[in-house]
Amino acid sequence: MDEFPVVIGHEAVRSVSRRLLCYYGDDFTGSTDVLESLFHNGLRTVLFLEPPSPEALEGFQDVACFGVAGVGRSLTPEEMETELRPILTTLKAVGAAIVHYKVCSTFDSSPGTGNIGKAAEIGRDIFGSRFIPLLVGVPYLGRYTLFGNHFAKGGGKVHRLDHHPTMSKHPVTPMAESDLRKHLAQQTALRTALLDILALDGSDDEVRECLEKVIREEKPDLLLFDVLDERRLEAAGRVIWEEAEEQEGLFVIGSSGVEYALGEVWRKALRTSAGEWAEPPIREKREVSQSPLLVISGSCSPVTEEQIEHALQAGFVGIRVPIIELIMSETREAARVKMQLEAQEWLSQGKHVVIYSARGLSDESIEATRKVMAAEGIRSEDSSRLLGTALGSIAKELVGQLGIQRMLIAGGDTSGYVTRELGVYAIECIAALDPGGPLCRAYAKDPQFEGLELVLKGGQVGTANFFEKVASYR
């Protein structure tokens, strides 16, 4: 059996007979949450932007964990069957101790889009464990589960999920139910039980006794863990890891809280004492010159809106994307060239540049674009592809011509298109900035993009001054 050296900091502390964990992220930017959490726990991890070949994995033999960035959150149940079954089957064959289906920490999903219950059905069919652990809370990100109800921070306050100012009004998957068991019951007939905060409050033996009682009495297909604080999160991690050690690959569903839960457990397993724990791994970190930051935003979230406004006030140059011109065939190329030349002029002067498609949900360009698309018969998915490809082409030219060393991309679809244009096939976390927005190193097919530093930011991630923080970090 292959041996995998576990790298903590710069040191391989021991070899294990199988990788600790591999995961499938159900959206692009959310996949970086796991990178960040494993980075915090000192474990070298790489995220592949498409399912890796065996040859690609051979190039990363010293990683304890790896992930695959996916699109499960945007798929119908029928599409999930086609997408997930072969990928999860492949991940099982890798032989990792845990295979994690990573979902958003706000659990946004519905019967028709990003159906987490469907993912559970596929995973149960492939892995066949006695139950699927389900853990969504992440105190580090302001996400909590209490007696089965989920809460998320927003606007500086913690809201029950069905009262959250953003998630309760999500345009695709509005969250009208905070009890995750009831929410899942709308998506699958699988039974979900709860190991609540009181059960997680006892000694290890008491927690195991509560676990076995729940399994014996409720016979669940999925077991949801309450998460309120780090102590109870670690207790959940011990339960999950003990279950994983009893079988060949445990299928787990949850947010990056899964990795935070397992972190302390792995520390104690891989080190003789917590005092020996090294700093998070930074491999081949190079000196980054004071080159300007290029920001490309396809997000219209209120958080990103505030970040754009803050950056412009701080001296960033804003360039609005002429969306209609970019999606219409007769004006597409001229609009792309004009944007590229304008950005190139400012960047060459050392100015940080923000190229943005909208400034919040109330931006007038959104409704104007919808009207043109309807009149021209352009589908929303086609416009996203055309816009994302154009922005990726602009980024490729700017990075190649000016030697840009660091780029921030806001929005999941935009991140996918831009990194694809750059030929990036994998990323690795090198620094934690704001929760959920790590700084990463790119691995690319083209040498001129190898080592590019990237931040792939979800719409709800980051403080108001996040863009400035990315630009100034050294």
Side-chain angles (χ1 to χ4, degrees):
M1 183 178 290
D2 290 337
E3 291 285 314
F4 297 101
V6 176
V7 176
I8 299 178
H10 295 287
E11 176 191 2
V13 297
R14 60 175 286 190
S15 292
V16 294
S17 60
R18 53 179 173 168
R19 297 184 196 273
L20 293 176
L21 177 145
C22 59
Y23 70 96
Y24 172 92
D26 76 346
D27 86 328
F28 199 95
T29 54
S31 298
T32 63
D33 286 354
V34 177
L35 275 184
E36 182 182 24
S37 61
L38 292 169
F39 176 85
H40 274 294
N41 285 303
L43 293 164
R44 189 184 174 210
T45 306
V46 64
L47 173 65
F48 293 96
L49 305 190
E50 55 187 39
S53 65
E55 293 75 22
L57 283 174
E58 283 293 325
F60 293 95
Q61 279 296 305
D62 59 344
V63 301
C65 315
F66 76 88
V68 178
V71 293
R73 194 186 307 178
S74 64
L75 301 180
T76 66
E78 295 75 21
E79 291 169 334
M80 292 178 78
E81 178 69 34
T82 302
E83 162 91 359
L84 293 183
R85 188 170 293 275
I87 290 179
L88 293 181
T89 300
T90 298
L91 292 183
K92 180 181 181 183
V94 168
I98 289 176
V99 177
H100 175 196
Y101 182 77
K102 193 272 177 186
V103 302
C104 182
S105 60
T106 48
F107 213 69
D108 43 318
S109 56
S110 73
T113 304
N115 186 316
I116 296 171
K118 177 63 176 178
E121 292 169 3
I122 297 171
R124 190 153 181 76
D125 186 39
I126 293 171
F127 290 85
S129 57
R130 64 173 183 160
F131 66 88
I132 297 172
L134 174 63
L135 190 153
V136 190
V138 198
Y140 175 65
L141 298 178
R143 309 289 191 259
Y144 312 94
T145 311
L146 190 60
F147 296 106
N149 287 272
H150 202 53
F151 299 79
K153 184 176 290 186
K157 298 180 180 179
V158 176
H159 307 269
R160 202 175 72 188
L161 202 57
D162 54 343
H163 292 172
H164 192 276
T166 300
M167 299 315 304
S168 65
K169 301 175 183 177
H170 193 284
V172 180
T173 53
M175 299 300 290
E177 176 57 68
S178 65
D179 189 322
L180 299 185
R181 294 164 295 180
K182 292 181 179 179
H183 185 73
L184 272 177
Q186 300 172 21
Q187 302 178 14
T188 180
L190 295 179
R191 298 180 301 277
T192 304
L194 173 69
L195 198 63
D196 66 29
I197 199 73
L198 300 178
L200 291 166
D201 218 12
S203 66
D204 287 355
D205 288 341
E206 289 170 334
V207 171
R208 292 188 196 98
E209 184 178 338
C210 288
L211 168 71
E212 295 303 326
K213 180 180 179 182
V214 169
I215 293 173
R216 183 174 61 253
E217 294 182 353
E218 301 190 40
K219 298 179 174 58
D221 300 297
L222 296 101
L223 182 64
L224 174 64
F225 290 83
D226 269 356
V227 174
L228 180 63
D229 52 28
E230 300 297 335
R231 180 169 61 86
R232 264 70 73 96
L233 185 66
E234 183 187 344
R238 285 196 296 271
V239 172
I240 293 171
W241 185 242
E242 288 172 3
E243 195 70 20
E245 290 185 308
E246 294 296 320
Q247 62 183 72
E248 290 297 319
L250 176 66
F251 183 65
V252 179
I253 296 176
S255 67
S256 57
V258 169
E259 283 71 27
Y260 286 108
L262 291 167
E264 189 63 29
V265 178
W266 285 339
R267 291 182 188 223
K268 293 173 180 176
L270 298 173
R271 289 286 191 183
T272 57
S273 73
E276 293 179 303
W277 194 251
E279 291 298 316
I282 301 178
R283 288 175 52 87
E284 302 173 6
K285 190 176 189 310
R286 59 194 176 87
E287 291 297 322
V288 179
S289 66
Q290 295 289 332
S291 65
L293 175 69
L294 173 61
V295 180
I296 295 182
S297 174
S299 168
C300 60
S301 82
V303 172
T304 304
E305 176 186 12
E306 185 180 20
Q307 291 165 343
I308 292 173
E309 182 64 32
H310 203 283
L312 297 182
Q313 292 178 4
F316 282 56
V317 175
I319 300 176
R320 178 182 285 275
V321 176
I323 302 175
I324 296 174
E325 287 86 345
L326 278 179
I327 64 177
M328 301 297 288
S329 59
E330 61 270 22
T331 57
R332 186 178 307 147
E333 183 59 19
R336 187 192 67 80
V337 171
K338 182 180 179 181
M339 285 185 62
Q340 180 181 316
L341 291 176
E342 183 179 358
Q344 184 173 326
E345 180 180 352
W346 288 113
L347 289 165
S348 63
Q349 296 177 32
K351 292 285 190 179
H352 304 309
V353 170
V354 183
I355 298 174
Y356 62 92
S357 59
R359 289 173 68 173
L361 291 168
S362 60
D363 194 304
E364 294 179 355
S365 67
I366 297 175
E367 184 59 31
T369 301
R370 285 175 180 161
K371 290 180 179 178
V372 171
M373 288 168 51
E376 297 291 331
I378 300 173
R379 300 180 303 170
S380 60
E381 56 265 38
D382 290 335
S383 68
S384 296
R385 175 180 54 81
L386 292 169
L387 177 61
T389 301
L391 293 176
S393 175
I394 291 170
K396 182 177 182 179
E397 291 297 323
L398 292 174
V399 173
Q401 291 177 11
L402 301 178
I404 300 296
Q405 294 181 298
R406 184 175 294 168
M407 183 163 58
L408 187 159
I409 312 171
D413 289 344
T414 306
S415 295
Y417 286 117
V418 172
T419 52
R420 189 176 300 122
E421 285 292 315
L422 295 172
V424 174
Y425 65 87
I427 59 175
E428 179 179 0
C429 182
I430 58 174
L433 303 178
D434 277 1
L439 180 65
C440 299
R441 179 198 192 278
Y443 294 91
K445 300 169 186 175
D446 188 331
Q448 68 178 330
F449 304 121
E450 177 79 10
L452 175 68
E453 293 188 350
L454 291 172
V455 174
L456 308 177
K457 188 196 87 72
Q460 301 298 315
V461 168
T463 53
N465 67 337
F466 185 61
F467 291 6
E468 300 100 288
K469 190 178 296 185
V470 174
S472 62
Y473 178 80
R474 294 293 179 267

